[in-house]
RNA sequence: GGUUCCGUAGCUCAACUGGAUAGAGCAACUGCCUUCUAAGCAGUAGGUUGAAGGUUCGAGUCCUUCCGGAAUCACCA
């Protein structure tokens, strides 16, 4: 990246000399040279033709000439149409390598001095986590790491929707059908147990509705009259009144869920710095809505419900408080946002990692916060990601097509084990090391699969076709790292792992080596790009490119059979730098890279 | 119906934000293990970028109109 700055600087100078005109830096579009042409960097000269007052091709030609004459690191050039392809001297590449190798903060951009909050996960406490949550968590966690690497201080948080009618449904079902079942007594994960009662509530509810309908009630009437639903609503009221018995049950069932979630989070390898609970923020949201009402930002309808009118923004009217004074989803989110900026007054940006089905909700939320007079409202950002679809379409719990997070992760571990054993690669592994490897490979494959895709886009997951371990996958990249590790172990044994003054004595580089170096030099740029666009897929693609290019080198060039000792030492140091870069890039995705596999 | 997003090889995804002959992986086919790990490497084949217009040196990318799909528009969360 420093390389590109230097090239850009040289171009500016050369342009002025050649055409006697200033070339504004933003006009310089430097891009990687396509592999069918000679060179590594390409300057697009079409836009420059206007300034140079000659054709694009001539511009490129003259500019190339000047660069070659004046620059001590541009060795050659060629022009194809308006494209100026530049080749750099091997010395330029060696000094690039040197810079990277002795970089005291590899993979870490200098501090921006900014604090960022990233919210992700935020599940309901009535259903176990599923495939969609996996994408959400991996994304949010990875974006957090990328933002850190880009020089920000990051707070990872989530809001837990622990309050509301949904949890009351599980409570009612448990009271009616549970016979005092606990996670311990049934040996079930707490979130699964509570989830089962939620399903049971739904079944019972439907049964009661059809019974009532059979008795001649209308559908709407049956839905409100069903005894089990009445009971759930009653429970919610009691909860709001802090009825001790109800509150106790609520707490107990939520705790079951939390311990179940914790186990899942641990397997996923994600964590949080702070948790927010809806039960602790919704009252603040209510206050804010009432304050807004006083200030005339909102208005009240005859039935007592409170609304905001966003028709001047091209949106509709939106309910903020029900006629009975209870809060809705939006109310809680208003409270949460405000509380967060109170807790962390310095945060410059708040990122909400939430599915794209809620785009409208967040648009409205941010507008409301602005109307309430919060200046930071424009710093709120909805990191909207696409759903994970199954071949049959959307996941539907009613149709039993939900892919459970725990099950899927376990399946990945099993597949990893199967593959590894098939390949006969666990010689000399202890039981524990083998298990660790299966975990790293299984989760690596899963995380890579979910993160390599542009977050904004919906993606497809076919449960019948297991996630690949070959090709453009996590294990491919992990494998490259393991191979390099083997080389480094050997180098350490044979004693060639010190670079010494070998770099000074090198007289050439292989094209593949330059290919890898060019990629390695891009790492920080990629981090910046990924941070700017909240896109772990940029890093995923990058790690793949590095691994792919290194494998080419590995195949073409021998390390330990190299007779020239300086070359040999360089290749080892070069391999080490590659491994380090792969490790860091994969680390940003939450993927561990093994030393052996 | 209004709004927003999407449509690229048989399948899953890219394309440096308007740049060269649209690239990878999987699946298919052909080579490469007595040499640092073949979860690898090299190659063949596969495309009218949903369609038609337009903008310009240049369009998968921007504009218009169609076609097809998704999300959203609740006193649900």
């Amino acid at each position: 990246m420093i390389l590109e700055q230097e090239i850009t600087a040289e171009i500016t100078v050369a342009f002025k000399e050649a055409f006697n005109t200033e070339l504004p830096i933003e006009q310089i579009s430097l891009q990687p040279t396509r592999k069918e042409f000679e060179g590594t960097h390409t300057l697009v000269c079409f836009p420059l033709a206007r300034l140079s007052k000659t054709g694009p091709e001539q511009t490129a030609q003259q500019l190339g000439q000047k660069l070659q004459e004046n620059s001590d690191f541009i060795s050659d050039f060629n022009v194809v149409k308006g494209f100026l392809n530049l080749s750099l001297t091997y010395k330029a590449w060696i000094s690039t390598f040197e810079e990277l190798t002795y970089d005291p903060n590899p993979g870490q951009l200098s501090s921006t001095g900014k604090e960022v909050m990233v919210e992700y996960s935020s599940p309901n406490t009535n259903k176990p986590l599923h495939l969609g949550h996996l994408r959400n968590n991996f994304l949010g966690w990875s974006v957090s790491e990328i933002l850190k690497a880009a020089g920000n201080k990051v707070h990872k948080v989530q809001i837990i929707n622990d309050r509301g009618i949904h949890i009351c449904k599980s409570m009612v079902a448990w009271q009616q059908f549970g016979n005092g079942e606990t996670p311990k007594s049934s040996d079930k994960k707490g979130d699964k147990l509570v989830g089962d009662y939620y399903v049971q509530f739904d079944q019972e509810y439907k049964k009661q509705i059809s019974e009532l309908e059979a008795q001649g009630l209308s559908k709407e009437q049956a839905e409100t009259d069903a005894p089990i639903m009445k009971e759930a609503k009653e429970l919610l009221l009691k909860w709001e009144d802090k009825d001790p018995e109800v509150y106790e049950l609520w707490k107990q069932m939520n705790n079951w869920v939390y311990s179940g979630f914790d186990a899942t989070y641990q397997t996923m390898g994600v964590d949080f710095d702070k948790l927010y609970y809806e039960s602790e923020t919704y009252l603040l949201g209510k206050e804010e809505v009432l304050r807004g009402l006083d200030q005339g930002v909102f208005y009240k309808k005859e039935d007592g419900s409170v609304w905001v009118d966003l028709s001047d923004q091209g949106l509709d009217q939106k309910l903020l408080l029900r006629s009975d004074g209870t809060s809705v989803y939006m109310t809680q989110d208003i409270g949460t946002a405000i509380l967060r900026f109170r807790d962390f007054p310095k945060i410059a940006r708040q990122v909400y990692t939430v599915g794209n089905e809620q785009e409208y909700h967040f648009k409205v939320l941010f507008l409301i916060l602005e109307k309430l007079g919060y200046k930071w409202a424009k710093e709120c950002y909805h990191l909207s990601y696409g759903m994970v679809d199954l071949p049959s379409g959307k996941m539907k719990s009613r149709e039993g097509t939900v892919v459970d997070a725990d099950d899927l992760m376990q399946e990945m571990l099993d597949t990893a084990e199967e593959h590894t054993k098939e390949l006969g690669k666990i010689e000399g592994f202890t039981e524990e090391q083998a298990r660790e490897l299966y975990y790293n490979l299984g989760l690596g494959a899963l995380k890579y699969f979910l993160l390599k895709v542009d977050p904004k886009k919906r993606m497809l997951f076919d449960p019948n076709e297991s996630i690949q371990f070959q090709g453009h996958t996590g294990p491919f990249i992990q494998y490259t790292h393991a191979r390099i590790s083997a080389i480094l172990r050997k180098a350490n044994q044979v004693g060639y792992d010190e670079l010494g003054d070998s770099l000074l004595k090198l007289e050439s580089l292989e094209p593949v080596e330059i290919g890898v170096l060019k990629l390695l030099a891009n790492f920080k740029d990629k981090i910046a790009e990924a941070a700017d666009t909240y896109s772990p897929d940029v890093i995923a693609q990058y790690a793949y490119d590095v691994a792919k290019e290194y494998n080419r080198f590995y195949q073409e060039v021998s390390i330990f059979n190299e007779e020239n000792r300086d070359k040999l030492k360089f290749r080892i140091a070069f391999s080490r730098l590659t491994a380090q870069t792969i490790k860091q890039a994969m680390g940003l995705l939450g993927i561990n890279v093994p030393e052996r596999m």
Side-chain angles (χ1 to χ4, degrees):
Chain A
M1 60 168 218
I2 291 171
L3 204 56
E4 282 174 17
Q5 280 169 20
E6 282 181 43
I7 296 172
T8 307
E10 299 255 2
I11 288 171
T12 316
V13 174
F15 192 86
K16 179 145 199 209
E17 272 185 42
F19 306 107
N20 203 21
T21 324
E22 288 297 336
L23 174 59
I25 230 166
E26 62 275 9
Q27 292 273 327
I28 300 179
S29 152
L30 204 58
Q31 51 183 277
T33 305
R34 298 181 71 104
K35 63 172 180 284
E36 58 266 34
F37 299 107
E38 191 75 25
T40 53
H41 295 80
T42 295
L43 179 71
V44 184
C45 292
F46 297 94
L48 311 188
R50 257 183 317 122
L51 291 167
S52 68
K53 307 241 164 59
T54 57
E57 200 153 350
Q58 278 170 293
T59 309
Q61 191 67 37
Q62 291 181 40
L63 199 54
Q65 207 89 46
K66 272 277 182 279
L67 281 169
Q68 195 179 17
E69 283 166 19
N70 296 354
S71 166
D72 35 345
F73 58 84
I74 292 171
S75 63
D76 204 359
F77 76 96
N78 64 83
V79 175
V80 182
K81 293 193 239 170
F83 297 93
L84 173 59
N85 302 321
L86 301 170
S87 302
L88 308 189
T89 63
Y90 75 91
K91 282 193 175 155
W93 289 112
I94 290 170
S95 70
T96 302
F97 171 76
E98 213 171 354
E99 245 169 69
L100 292 169
T101 303
Y102 298 112
D103 185 346
N105 297 306
Q108 176 65 52
L109 275 56
S110 51
S111 172
T112 61
K114 285 187 179 157
E115 282 186 37
V116 182
M117 178 172 281
V118 181
E119 175 198 299
Y120 57 96
S121 199
S122 305
N124 283 335
T125 54
N126 55 348
K127 285 181 209 160
L129 303 174
H130 58 69
L131 179 56
H133 294 111
L134 289 177
R135 188 178 197 192
N136 179 303
N137 277 270
F138 294 155
L139 227 190
W141 192 91
S142 178
V143 163
S144 303
E145 292 303 307
I146 289 167
L147 289 172
K148 277 188 210 169
N152 301 289
K153 182 171 181 195
V154 176
H155 305 281
K156 294 180 274 194
V157 302
Q158 69 165 325
I159 174 84
I160 297 171
N161 301 297
D162 61 345
R163 183 205 73 92
I165 190 75
H166 55 281
I167 188 73
C168 292
K169 291 180 182 176
S170 305
M171 283 157 65
V172 170
W174 185 84
Q175 283 178 327
Q176 293 192 1
F177 313 109
N179 294 319
E181 186 184 18
T182 66
K184 213 175 240 171
S185 76
S186 60
D187 200 26
K188 251 190 216 173
K189 270 182 88 224
D191 54 329
K192 297 276 156 68
L193 185 135
V194 173
D196 288 347
Y197 284 106
Y198 186 73
V199 170
Q200 205 169 347
F201 173 93
D202 209 47
Q203 287 166 351
E204 182 64 23
Y205 181 42
K206 282 200 181 115
K207 207 173 93 191
Q208 292 183 1
I209 289 174
S210 57
E211 277 169 14
L212 289 173
E213 276 180 316
Q215 290 169 23
L217 268 69
S218 73
K219 197 178 171 221
E220 291 77 35
Q221 197 62 45
E223 277 171 0
T224 43
D225 278 12
I228 195 162
M229 180 55 94
K230 280 185 166 170
E231 213 160 320
K233 283 185 175 159
E234 209 168 292
L235 224 50
L236 181 59
L237 286 176
K238 280 186 182 170
W239 180 87
E240 295 211 347
D241 282 346
K242 297 228 171 17
D243 176 296
E245 205 176 310
V246 173
Y247 217 74
E248 206 44 49
L249 175 62
W250 171 78
K251 253 177 158 167
Q252 184 184 47
M253 289 188 76
N254 268 330
N255 280 330
W256 290 344
V257 174
Y258 300 152
S259 62
F261 281 174
D262 283 346
T264 307
Y265 288 139
Q266 193 172 3
T267 311
M268 287 198 279
V270 302
D271 54 3
F272 303 92
D273 301 314
K274 187 168 170 63
L275 304 182
Y276 287 87
Y277 296 89
E278 184 190 340
S279 57
E280 294 169 358
T281 65
Y282 79 105
L283 290 174
L284 175 59
K286 252 178 169 171
E287 283 171 28
E288 283 293 323
V289 170
L290 294 176
R291 188 173 68 83
L293 188 62
D294 279 351
Q295 294 175 352
V297 181
F298 308 136
Y299 69 95
K300 200 175 224 173
K301 284 195 181 172
E302 281 174 9
D303 62 3
S305 55
V306 179
W307 295 73
V308 60
D309 184 4
L310 296 168
S311 49
D312 53 333
Q313 314 277 343
L315 302 173
D316 290 329
Q317 285 139 20
K318 190 85 188 167
L319 177 84
L320 300 176
L321 279 180
R322 295 192 187 98
S323 49
D324 63 2
T326 55
S327 60
V328 290
Y329 186 42
M330 188 62 78
T331 327
Q332 162 228 313
D333 268 2
I334 294 169
T336 309
I338 291 164
L339 187 59
R340 284 176 181 170
F341 276 92
R342 277 189 199 164
D343 287 349
F344 301 96
K346 283 192 288 184
I347 48 180
R349 202 154 180 76
Q350 163 141 230
V351 179
Y352 292 88
T353 313
V354 182
N356 61 11
E357 54 196 355
Q358 294 196 30
E359 271 169 14
Y360 184 75
H361 171 79
F362 280 102
K363 207 186 263 180
V364 171
L365 172 65
F366 301 157
L367 282 172
I368 290 175
L369 291 169
E370 214 175 312
K371 276 184 185 286
L372 282 169
Y374 292 102
K375 283 194 295 273
W376 42 258
K378 59 183 182 305
E379 301 301 342
C380 294
Y381 175 76
H382 176 202
L383 172 51
S384 162
Y385 65 92
M387 297 290 104
V388 184
D389 283 326
L390 304 174
S392 57
K394 209 179 166 182
M395 285 194 287
K396 295 232 169 76
S397 50
R398 264 179 286 136
E399 290 159 31
T401 55
V402 171
V403 178
D404 180 79
D406 293 318
D407 292 350
L408 180 57
M409 288 193 288
Q410 185 56 48
E411 211 173 288
M412 292 306 298
L413 299 201
D414 294 344
T415 314
E417 178 170 358
E418 203 179 300
H419 271 282
T420 307
K421 285 184 172 159
E422 242 169 57
L423 293 165
K425 291 211 173 183
I426 42 167
E427 271 176 62
F429 276 70
T430 65
E431 179 71 18
E432 200 192 329
Q433 286 170 328
R435 228 196 298 275
E436 191 188 341
L437 179 64
Y438 305 148
Y439 173 82
N440 286 336
L441 291 177
L443 258 95
L446 180 60
K447 286 185 183 180
Y448 196 86
F449 177 84
L450 291 171
L451 288 176
K452 77 170 179 189
V453 181
D454 182 344
K456 290 190 291 295
K457 294 194 177 167
R458 59 183 18 238
M459 63 183 296
L460 193 100
F461 173 79
D462 188 343
N464 298 320
E465 250 177 75
S466 56
I467 291 173
Q468 298 286 332
F469 281 66
Q470 273 137 8
H472 190 177
T473 66
F476 168 88
I477 301 166
Q478 290 171 314
Y479 176 71
T480 308
H481 182 268
R483 265 177 157 184
I484 299 176
S485 300
I487 289 170
L488 298 179
R489 281 193 297 272
K490 184 167 176 183
N492 184 267
Q493 275 171 17
V494 220
Y496 286 128
D497 55 351
E498 291 293 329
L499 200 46
D501 60 352
S502 294
L503 287 184
L504 297 174
K505 295 193 253 166
L506 274 186
E507 279 166 7
S508 66
L509 287 174
E510 303 295 324
V512 255
E513 291 169 337
I514 289 176
V516 178
L517 276 174
K518 194 176 138 196
L519 286 167
L520 296 179
N522 272 336
F523 189 28
K524 288 188 178 177
D525 274 353
K526 290 290 176 184
I527 292 174
E529 186 191 337
D532 274 357
T533 56
Y534 306 97
S535 298
D537 60 305
V538 169
I539 301 296
Q541 183 65 44
Y542 173 75
Y544 175 73
D545 290 340
V546 172
K548 184 84 185 160
E549 192 69 11
Y550 182 86
N551 281 336
R552 192 167 292 144
F553 158 83
Y554 183 92
Q555 191 75 21
E556 284 180 27
V557 179
S558 172
I559 294 179
F560 291 104
N561 288 336
E562 174 58 53
E563 288 174 7
N564 180 326
R565 198 159 293 185
D566 296 313
K567 280 191 180 175
L568 196 163
K569 286 183 177 174
F570 164 73
R571 284 176 192 162
I572 287 164
F574 164 81
S575 298
R576 179 179 293 118
L577 180 65
T578 306
Q580 173 195 300
T581 308
I582 288 176
K583 184 174 185 168
Q584 285 189 322
M586 293 295 266
L588 294 177
L589 306 176
I591 300 174
N592 299 324
V593 287
E595 303 283 315
R596 304 166 200 265
M597 66 184 271

